[in-house]
């Protein structure tokens, strides 16, 4: 009889998934939640506008995406302590911030050159929130070289093309960099099944890979700092694949490098946010990741980027 019972228990465990064993629904006790203003925006040297999301923060029990914009907030932008403009609320979609309404300031007549930029946001229902970030100086690329069939990408394990970029890192300071390969190219793919042939359009999506140490990879963006080459001329080589796993030689004339010298706030926030999302897929085995925050009197991120666009020769 004991053997039958033990056998039945073993069978029941066999048919249970790991998810069933490891998943447990917990009743959350009431907890104190402090409502604060949440801010999100990046000042970009080459942009026509500065756009800032201002909303309430969310509790852990709030439905995903259930954010409340604060359209009656007062938002000011300063450079080196002097007021440069007041942002106006606009109920229009923003594809970068992925929201339906933002505060906007046109930058056409504003001095967006290196310096300390700061924002101050006030609202009758919340304490005043503020944040600051240094817009760094431009560090230009001195050489861009495209090399077809360069080698095997370490993460994709396929032979593919590469781009080599060279720049001179200023000495005696920490510098943070980011670059993205962009393209508006639409490609045509053919799908054949039995006697049917379908031709459809798709956007060219590129992925980057590199052997460079101490870099943060995220799709078609590479983020890194000058720990290993401070004050030196440096060349970074990166592999480029399109979404079908092919090289990019046929699209090379349509590609652009978005080269960015970023503030430390942008670097820390982007890296921590990516790590936060990466950790979510491991359930109870995930390590806690704190997303970087530089807003005083609230939560969120305000950062600055010096951006330049280069064509690939």
């Amino acid at each position: 009889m004991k053997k039958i019972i033990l056998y039945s228990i073993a069978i029941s465990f066999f048919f249970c998934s790991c998810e069933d064993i490891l998943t447990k629904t917990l009743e959350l006790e009431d907890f104190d939640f402090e409502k604060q203003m949440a801010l999100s925006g990046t000042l970009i040297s080459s942009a026509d506008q500065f756009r800032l999301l201002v909303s309430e923060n969310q509790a852990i029990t709030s439905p995903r995406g259930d954010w409340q914009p604060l359209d009656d907030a007062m938002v000011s932008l300063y450079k080196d302590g002097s007021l440069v403009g007041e942002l106006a609320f606009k109920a229009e979609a923003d594809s970068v911030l992925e929201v339906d309404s933002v505060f906007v300031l046109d930058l056409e007549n504003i001095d967006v050159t290196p310096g300390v930029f700061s924002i101050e946001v006030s609202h009758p229902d919340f304490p005043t929130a503020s944040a600051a970030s240094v817009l760094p100086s431009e560090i230009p690329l001195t050489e861009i070289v495209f090399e077809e069939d360069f080698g095997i990408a370490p993460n994709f394990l396929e032979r593919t093309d590469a781009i080599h970029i060279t720049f001179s890192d200023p000495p005696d300071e920490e510098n943070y960099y980011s670059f993205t390969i962009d393209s508006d190219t639409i490609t045509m793919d053919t799908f054949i099944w039995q006697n049917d042939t379908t031709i459809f359009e798709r956007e060219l999506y590129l992925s980057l890979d590199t052997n460079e140490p101490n870099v943060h990879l995220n799709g078609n963006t590479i983020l890194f700092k000058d720990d290993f080459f401070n004050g030196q001329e440096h060349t970074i080589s990166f592999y480029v694949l399109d979404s079908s796993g092919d090289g990019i030689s046929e699209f090379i004339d349509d590609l652009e490098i978005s080269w960015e010298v970023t503030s430390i706030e942008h670097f820390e926030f982007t890296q921590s946010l990516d790590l936060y999302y990466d950790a979510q897929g491991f359930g109870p085995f995930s390590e806690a990741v704190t997303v970087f925050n530089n807003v005083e009197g609230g939560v969120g991120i305000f950062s600055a980027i010096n951006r330049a666009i280069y064509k690939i020769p």
Side-chain angles (χ1 to χ4, degrees):
M1 184 65 178
K2 289 182 179 180
K3 289 184 178 180
I4 296 174
I5 294 174
L6 290 173
Y7 180 75
S8 299
I9 293 174
I11 291 295
S12 66
F13 272 104
F14 179 78
F15 285 104
C16 286
S17 68
C18 290
E19 185 176 354
D20 294 332
I21 296 171
L22 297 175
T23 301
K24 183 177 181 180
T25 302
L26 299 176
E27 293 293 332
L28 290 177
E29 298 180 2
D30 291 335
F31 58 93
D32 293 330
F33 171 67
E34 180 186 1
K35 285 191 175 183
Q36 296 176 290
M37 279 195 289
L39 314 179
S40 180
T42 299
L43 181 70
I44 302 173
S45 61
S46 59
D48 297 328
Q49 295 179 326
F50 169 53
R51 305 169 76 85
L52 182 75
L53 166 66
V54 181
S55 68
E56 289 185 18
N57 63 336
Q58 293 180 290
I60 191 173
T61 54
S62 301
R64 185 179 176 88
D66 185 27
W67 62 279
Q68 299 297 322
L70 301 175
D71 56 1
D72 51 347
M74 300 290 293
V75 185
S76 304
L77 177 69
Y78 298 84
K79 181 185 180 184
D80 298 327
S82 299
L83 179 67
V84 296
E86 304 281 354
L87 281 69
F89 179 79
K90 290 191 176 181
E92 61 183 31
D94 187 288
S95 59
V96 176
L97 294 172
E98 298 182 351
V99 294
D100 297 324
S101 54
V102 290
F103 283 81
V104 178
L105 175 65
D106 290 328
L107 299 176
E108 182 179 358
N109 299 315
I110 291 178
D111 178 25
V112 188
T113 54
V116 180
F117 284 84
S118 58
I119 53 172
E120 185 175 276
V121 184
S122 59
H123 188 278
D125 298 333
F126 298 91
T128 298
S130 61
S133 185
V134 175
L135 177 65
S137 299
E138 179 183 4
I139 301 175
L141 295 180
T142 55
E143 187 177 42
I144 304 173
V145 177
F146 169 70
E147 188 168 353
E148 192 171 357
D149 195 31
F150 175 68
I152 298 176
N155 291 310
F156 301 117
L157 300 179
E158 295 184 44
R159 290 194 66 86
T160 187
D161 307 329
I163 298 173
H164 316 281
I165 59 174
T166 302
F167 59 96
S168 294
D169 181 74
D172 304 322
E173 61 182 58
E174 288 187 337
N175 293 294
Y176 303 86
Y177 302 96
S178 174
F179 63 84
T180 303
I181 303 296
D182 295 313
S183 174
D184 295 327
T185 301
I186 302 296
T187 63
M188 308 294 290
D189 276 354
T190 302
F191 178 75
I192 300 175
W193 174 251
Q194 295 181 351
N195 295 325
D196 296 326
T197 300
T198 303
I199 299 176
F200 57 93
E201 294 183 346
R202 66 174 176 87
E203 293 183 2
L204 181 66
Y205 181 80
L206 302 176
S207 295
L208 305 184
D209 200 0
T210 183
N211 289 311
E212 185 85 5
N214 200 31
V215 302
H216 183 77
L217 290 167
N218 182 6
N220 68 335
T221 300
I222 293 181
L223 194 72
F224 60 102
K225 55 183 177 179
D226 63 353
D227 282 353
F228 297 111
F229 54 86
N230 186 278
Q232 303 173 25
E233 182 178 74
H234 185 67
T235 297
I236 179 171
S237 301
F238 53 96
Y239 303 88
V240 189
L241 292 87
D242 77 358
S243 54
S244 64
D246 298 326
I248 59 169
S249 57
E250 63 179 297
F251 312 114
I252 196 66
D253 293 336
D254 300 323
L255 304 184
E256 293 179 337
I257 296 177
S258 178
W259 170 248
E260 299 172 345
V261 186
T262 80
S263 64
I264 185 173
E265 293 83 13
H266 180 81
F267 180 88
E268 295 289 355
F269 174 77
T270 303
Q271 184 170 247
S272 66
L273 185 63
D274 287 345
L275 292 174
Y276 170 80
Y277 284 127
D278 289 345
Q280 291 189 11
F282 294 94
F285 304 106
S286 300
E287 292 187 14
V289 176
T290 300
V291 178
F292 179 84
N293 164 50
N294 73 328
V295 176
E296 297 183 5
V299 295
I301 179 67
F302 168 64
S303 61
I305 291 174
N306 198 316
R307 175 184 290 169
I309 305 297
Y310 293 86
K311 295 292 290 185
I312 301 174

